Amino acid sequence: MSNKKEKNTEYFEANQAHWNKCVLPHAKSDFYDVEGFKKGKTSLNSIELAALGDVKGQSMLHLQCHFGQDSLAWTRMGAKVTGVDFSSTAIELARELNTELALDAEFICTNVYDLKKHLKGQFDIVFTSYGVLGWLPDMDRWAELVAHYLKPGGIFYIVEFHPTYYMIDFDNLQLTYPYFNIEVFKEEVEGSYADRDADITGVEYFWQHSLSEIITALLKNGLQLEQFDEFPYSPYNCFPNMVETSKGKYEVKDHEGNIPLMFELKMKKPL
Ligand SMILES: C[S@@+](CC[C@H](N)C(=O)[O-])C[C@H]1O[C@@H](n2cnc3c(N)ncnc32)[C@H](O)[C@@H]1O
């Protein structure tokens, strides 16, 4: 067990170093369009906007917030947001944007699994999105945190890439990884989803999580399922071989409508 913990620490450190390298290229990328964001454009997509609706006056914990654009977008809509990420470069930039835009979000730099050492209290909403679960080895510990930080009656919402798509090597569309969480994977990476030509190289470690693993972990921690959907598109053109099938919807070329790319889950902590 302690050996497993030590191994995870090694993986987290490598991932943290890699994410730190990604932040500045991401901030310069068209993908994140920071200039547009500063001028008032939202970074949120219609799917999460529709799912959470009016967040005015709601307290929100945003897990794995990267450099905080989505946290700040919810803040602009009137939520009181606390964003969490373990990349110090990301949190530094999130705080700079918060100050520059005269907003009142708060940002905490920590591994999500260590959050209880840094944050007390409970929230109306816990939110996390797009590219988050694969960096976490243990869904039970993660779900326990989600439930811990929700007020009774509070809502957990996740919109995430679909685990079935993570079985595939994106470059050649070959079935490469297992569906189930049986081991950690190591990948040498170049560039990033936000800018494939960015001068970023490094190593990342990730884990596969089946839908049943994710949902069961949340149910076991007392949350009730309100909404579960799967989609054949992504709002981001962030994988190779994608085609825009309608405005802002990207699907796998030659497999339009056939491959799940995203899922959303809305769950409630009972009163
Ligand atoms: C793909 S990004 C999240 C995407 C987000 N929707 C966005 O683009 O604004 C994943 C984030 O998870 C963070 N992360 C990965 N593992 C983490 C961990 N164990 N604890 C906290 N943050 C973590 C990374 O630093 C990165 O900022």
Side-chain angles (χ1 to χ4, degrees), residues 93-235:
L93 178 56
R95 288 181 179 144
E96 276 171 31
L97 287 170
N98 186 49
T99 304
E100 185 177 340
L101 298 170
L103 295 169
D104 69 347
E106 283 172 33
F107 291 97
I108 301 174
C109 185
T110 177
N111 190 316
V112 287
Y113 290 121
D114 296 328
L115 188 55
K116 285 188 192 167
K117 291 186 205 153
H118 303 270
L119 179 68
K120 296 207 180 342
Q122 288 187 313
F123 296 80
D124 298 308
I125 299 168
V126 175
F127 168 74
T128 193
S129 70
Y130 304 107
V132 284
L133 299 185
W135 312 111
L136 306 179
D138 187 329
M139 286 295 94
D140 283 332
R141 280 180 66 207
W142 166 81
E144 192 278 323
L145 277 171
V146 169
H148 171 86
Y149 281 109
L150 274 179
K151 288 181 185 168
I155 293 291
F156 169 62
Y157 180 73
I158 178 169
V159 54
E160 174 60 299
F161 299 114
H162 201 288
T164 304
Y165 200 59
Y166 283 146
M167 296 171 71
I168 291 169
D169 179 322
F170 305 141
D171 289 315
N172 58 25
L173 291 186
Q174 293 299 304
L175 203 52
T176 304
Y177 300 103
Y179 181 64
F180 299 103
N181 184 8
I182 50 175
E183 59 186 314
V184 62
F185 290 94
K186 177 181 179 181
E187 195 175 23
E188 312 271 345
V189 280
E190 278 181 32
S192 111
Y193 60 88
D195 179 358
R196 280 176 209 139
D197 301 322
D199 186 18
I200 307 170
T201 52
V203 171
E204 53 186 35
Y205 293 90
F206 60 95
W207 292 265
Q208 300 285 89
H209 298 293
S210 66
L211 285 176
S212 61
E213 185 192 357
I214 299 162
I215 297 171
T216 306
L218 293 159
L219 291 171
K220 267 201 322 210
N221 280 282
L223 302 195
Q224 293 171 342
L225 185 58
E226 296 237 306
Q227 194 180 337
F228 170 52
D229 298 295
E230 299 173 282
F231 305 91
Y233 60 84
S234 154

Side-chain angles (χ1 to χ4, degrees), residues 12 15-16 19-20 23 26 31-32 62-70 84-87 90 110-113 127-132 135-137 161 193 236:
F12 289 143
N15 285 346
Q16 198 173 20
W19 279 106
N20 277 337
V23 174
H26 282 189
F31 183 99
Y32 279 99
H62 180 185
L63 298 175
Q64 294 173 253
C65 66
H66 202 35
F67 63 88
Q69 282 199 147
D70 289 357
V84 175
D85 201 284
F86 75 174
S87 158
T110 177
N111 190 316
V112 287
Y113 290 121
F127 168 74
T128 193
S129 70
Y130 304 107
V132 284
W135 312 111
L136 306 179
F161 299 114
Y193 60 88
Y236 302 110

